[in-house]
Amino acid sequence: MHQNYYFLKHLAEELNAKLAGHLLKSCFSQNKDELILGFTNSKTDYYIKADLSHQQGILSFAGDFKRANKNSIDLFTELIDCLVKKIRVNRNERSFQISFAQGQNLIFKLFGRQSNILLFTANEYPKLFKTQKAKDETLTLKGFNRTIDQTQENFIKNNGDLRLLFPTFGQILSDYLSTLGFLEKNIADQWIMVEQLLVELADSRFYLITYKDKLHLSLVKMGETIAKFDSAIETINAFYSRYVKFKVLEKEKNLISRQLEQKITRTGNYIIKAKSKLRELSTKRNDQVADVIMANLHMIVPRTDKIELFDFYNNETISVKLNPKLSAQKNAEKFYNKNKNQGIEIKKIKESLSSKTQELVKSELLLQQVKEFENIKQLRAQFKVKDFKSQPTKELPYHQFEIDYFTVLVGKNAKSNDRLTLQYANKDDMWFHARDVAGSHVVLKYQSEENFPSNVIEKVAQLAAWYSKGKHFPLCPVIYTLKKFVRKPKGFAAGKVKLDREEVILVEPKNLTRE
């Protein structure tokens, strides 16, 4: 409501009493969308700062202003040393004008996002402060005054249409009348309420309020009153100061909240997937499948890849996938090993679930705290905003994947392979590379005191084969060893390393990851 016609009327009257007879001594800009006007007489100086960088466009006033030494440019130079003749509001409009004795008129057009400052001289069309507002070039000085028939007869004729007869009321005054039961009154009583409101608006009583979770300057009491003033200038100065702090607080709260909400979503999705995986593993008994295979060895023909067998544990027929390159007994051993590794995986998922659940509860608590902060100092004491700002993404030398809740890093090219192995891999990580063919270095990150499960080693080896020239081989040999046994002698080409110890596994190249 700081741009409301009725408030600007009070503001123009106070400014006229303060500045009439002053000379404009400076007019400059040192920030985008900000104009400073300096006035003086033989005794005092006074400054108007028009900050049009916000969506609302706000003015503030001071007896002193220090101009920056750099990035400052003079504007509207034709007004320098011109005498202020009169300051007045434009009729039924969100604008006021400073008229100079030499005939110029400076219009403060406060139309929300379309706010601008226009200088009318002898020419019919104005010179603009915000030159990108091209439509303002067609405005005329006379057009800034609106004549509206606001008599009782016209009010009754138009069925009490406030938007038509009193468009300058705005949302807050319309809501104020609604709270007093305006819509339920007959047309005669509605007119009486309008007359009473106009009398109230003529009084020099101003409020800073919060209404619908936003800070407002108001001429009536609505929402929660923060402060009360008798001067329009004092009110708008207080509003500007609080508004800037309020916007900074909201901006930082939104930044932190957005990051926390994204973290909550990611953590929640992780928990859902982990619980699903846990249910799947808990109902899948590989040791029982192995027992079924052992009980039916006589039925399994060599090189069989799939067979229907009777599951005596659950009294049903099940379909069992087999490795046709292995004997029936070796397939059973594979299922026994899977069951052993499955126990390790279940334990790891449960530990991860516990950690992620605590993380989720903490993030949700922090989000609630952020929303309740009403003071920027308190917010900054609790949170370091820089930790929540998006940092430029640094190009990493690897792709990151997850296999059975283990982190796997895959080098992008020869130089990236060196960086991955020498800078990002730790001595206890497992290192992989397809044997005798070019390919990516692959690192399986060490995460606990337990050994790497054999099924995870096999899957990562399949991934290393996939990211190599052996990708299309039916079977590809893959070297693996702890990273502490990998070194790069001086003079070796990019991507080339020497191994002090190694093991080899023969696998089918597969990509079993999710990035």
Side-chain angles (χ1 to χ4, degrees):
M1 200 172 175
H2 59 288
Q3 296 180 338
N4 180 274
Y5 162 71
Y6 298 97
F7 175 74
L8 293 179
K9 189 174 181 180
H10 288 284
L11 181 64
E13 289 174 358
E14 288 187 25
L15 286 175
N16 185 64
K18 186 175 288 290
L19 293 179
H22 280 57
L23 296 176
L24 181 69
K25 294 300 294 183
S26 60
C27 183
F28 59 92
S29 177
Q30 54 193 31
N31 291 303
K32 182 183 178 182
D33 300 330
E34 180 184 276
L35 184 68
I36 313 297
L37 297 100
F39 300 86
T40 189
N41 62 11
S42 57
K43 297 180 181 180
T44 61
D45 296 334
Y46 203 71
Y47 291 86
I48 298 177
K49 182 171 83 168
D51 184 351
L52 308 185
S53 60
H54 302 285
Q55 292 183 359
Q56 300 191 51
I58 307 175
L59 306 178
S60 60
F61 307 88
D64 186 34
F65 190 92
K66 187 174 181 180
R67 183 172 181 173
N69 294 325
K70 296 181 179 180
N71 300 321
S72 180
I73 182 172
D74 291 314
L75 296 172
F76 297 141
T77 53
E78 53 267 70
L79 289 178
I80 300 302
D81 291 331
C82 288
L83 183 71
V84 176
K85 181 180 179 182
K86 186 177 180 62
I87 301 176
R88 64 176 180 83
V89 71
N90 293 307
R91 287 194 310 274
N92 296 307
E93 195 55 274
R94 291 175 296 167
S95 68
F96 69 92
Q97 67 184 59
I98 302 177
S99 299
F100 292 88
Q102 290 79 358
Q104 305 96 329
N105 287 280
L106 194 64
I107 299 286
F108 289 75
K109 169 181 168 249
L110 303 174
F111 287 14
R113 294 183 180 181
Q114 302 304 316
S115 295
N116 203 354
I117 298 173
L118 303 85
L119 174 61
F120 289 89
T121 55
N123 299 321
E124 182 179 359
Y125 296 110
K127 181 177 180 180
L128 310 181
F129 167 57
K130 298 180 73 172
T131 56
Q132 67 271 30
K133 304 289 184 183
K135 290 184 179 179
D136 288 352
E137 294 177 349
T138 64
L139 298 178
T140 62
L141 187 61
K142 291 182 179 179
F144 277 95
N145 286 286
R146 286 193 295 177
T147 300
I148 303 175
D149 183 356
Q150 295 175 334
T151 61
Q152 181 178 8
E153 292 76 16
N154 200 38
F155 183 80
I156 294 173
K157 178 182 177 181
N158 288 279
N159 299 314
D161 189 340
L162 292 177
R163 291 186 179 182
L164 182 63
L165 272 71
F166 296 92
T168 52
F169 275 3
Q171 190 63 52
I172 288 182
L173 294 181
S174 296
D175 288 354
Y176 177 68
L177 287 174
S178 295
T179 62
L180 299 177
F182 180 82
L183 298 176
E184 290 75 32
K185 303 289 185 180
N186 59 48
I187 194 72
D189 288 337
Q190 286 182 342
W191 175 251
I192 292 173
M193 292 180 68
V194 169
E195 286 187 313
Q196 291 173 341
L197 177 59
L198 291 173
V199 171
E200 188 174 353
L201 297 178
D203 288 340
S204 297
R205 288 182 294 181
F206 313 100
Y207 307 92
L208 291 187
I209 65 171
T210 52
Y211 178 60
K212 294 184 177 180
D213 297 323
K214 291 185 178 181
L215 178 70
H216 296 275
L217 185 159
S218 177
L219 297 175
V220 295
K221 286 186 177 182
M222 283 284 288
E224 180 183 350
T225 300
I226 298 173
K228 179 181 177 181
F229 300 89
D230 297 323
S231 162
I233 292 176
E234 287 182 16
T235 307
I236 199 166
N237 278 344
F239 173 75
Y240 180 73
S241 176
R242 285 179 178 266
Y243 179 81
V244 170
K245 292 178 181 178
F246 186 83
K247 294 303 288 185
V248 170
L249 175 63
E250 287 302 301
K251 181 179 180 180
E252 294 191 6
K253 283 173 66 174
N254 289 337
L255 173 65
I256 296 171
S257 295
R258 186 165 57 252
Q259 295 286 339
L260 287 172
E261 286 166 356
Q262 291 173 354
K263 185 176 182 180
I264 288 170
T265 299
R266 288 195 304 269
T267 306
N269 290 338
Y270 181 95
I271 289 173
I272 291 171
K273 291 177 181 178
K275 285 182 176 180
S276 176
K277 182 68 174 178
L278 194 59
R279 285 193 298 269
E280 177 188 335
L281 291 173
S282 299
T283 57
K284 187 177 181 181
R285 294 292 303 273
N286 286 302
D287 58 338
Q288 291 182 0
V289 176
D291 289 344
V292 170
I293 294 173
M294 291 300 292
N296 294 278
L297 289 176
H298 61 287
M299 294 179 58
I300 303 175
V301 178
R303 291 185 291 279
T304 300
D305 61 355
K306 189 175 183 181
I307 190 170
E308 302 289 326
L309 297 174
F310 179 71
D311 180 359
F312 46 81
Y313 284 105
N314 300 298
N315 198 30
E316 63 181 2
T317 299
I318 60 172
S319 178
V320 180
K321 290 184 178 180
L322 301 172
N323 186 336
K325 297 181 177 66
L326 301 178
S327 66
Q329 188 168 347
K330 288 293 185 181
N331 271 292
E333 289 179 12
K334 188 174 181 181
F335 277 100
Y336 282 128
N337 288 332
K338 279 187 177 180
N339 189 70
K340 181 180 177 181
N341 292 326
Q342 184 174 303
I344 298 173
E345 188 174 359
I346 288 174
K347 179 183 177 183
K348 186 171 184 61
I349 293 174
K350 286 182 177 179
E351 291 174 350
S352 180
L353 267 175
S354 176
S355 174
K356 290 293 183 180
T357 301
Q358 292 177 23
E359 184 180 308
L360 179 63
V361 171
K362 182 180 178 181
S363 295
E364 289 175 337
L365 180 62
L366 288 174
L367 180 61
Q368 185 59 37
Q369 290 177 348
V370 169
K371 291 181 177 179
E372 293 174 356
F373 276 113
E374 296 181 355
N375 184 289
I376 190 68
K377 290 184 179 180
Q378 294 174 350
L379 178 71
R380 288 175 174 173
Q382 180 73 19
F383 299 95
K384 292 183 179 180
V385 177
K386 65 179 182 179
D387 295 339
F388 292 87
K389 290 183 178 179
S390 299
Q391 300 296 330
T393 302
K394 186 177 180 179
E395 182 68 22
L396 294 173
Y398 57 79
H399 300 287
Q400 182 170 324
F401 302 99
E402 191 176 283
I403 293 180
D404 292 347
Y405 299 91
F406 280 86
T407 299
V408 181
L409 310 179
V410 179
K412 294 180 177 179
N413 52 49
K415 290 185 178 180
S416 294
N417 282 340
D418 282 346
R419 288 181 61 200
L420 169 59
T421 298
L422 302 176
Q423 298 177 23
Y424 290 88
N426 297 319
K427 65 184 182 67
D428 293 322
D429 296 338
M430 191 68 77
W431 185 92
F432 296 76
H433 193 282
R435 188 174 188 176
D436 298 329
V437 291
S440 295
H441 292 193
V442 177
V443 173
L444 171 60
K445 298 298 291 181
Y446 178 75
Q447 295 184 6
S448 69
E449 296 179 357
E450 301 189 31
N451 294 330
F452 294 106
S454 58
N455 67 317
V456 174
I457 289 177
E458 182 179 350
K459 290 179 181 179
V460 177
Q462 289 179 308
L463 185 67
W466 181 266
Y467 278 90
S468 77
K469 295 294 185 180
K471 176 178 180 178
H472 301 295
F473 295 171
L475 292 173
C476 179
V478 174
I479 301 167
Y480 67 98
T481 186
L482 292 177
K483 189 269 173 184
K484 62 185 177 183
F485 299 125
V486 182
R487 57 191 176 89
K488 187 176 182 68
K490 186 176 181 180
F492 268 38
K496 297 293 183 180
V497 294
K498 185 174 181 60
L499 307 182
D500 295 328
R501 187 182 300 179
E502 67 181 60
E503 294 184 61
V504 180
I505 184 173
L506 195 63
V507 295
E508 179 185 356
K510 285 185 181 179
N511 186 359
L512 305 172
T513 62
R514 60 180 184 274
E515 190 166 7

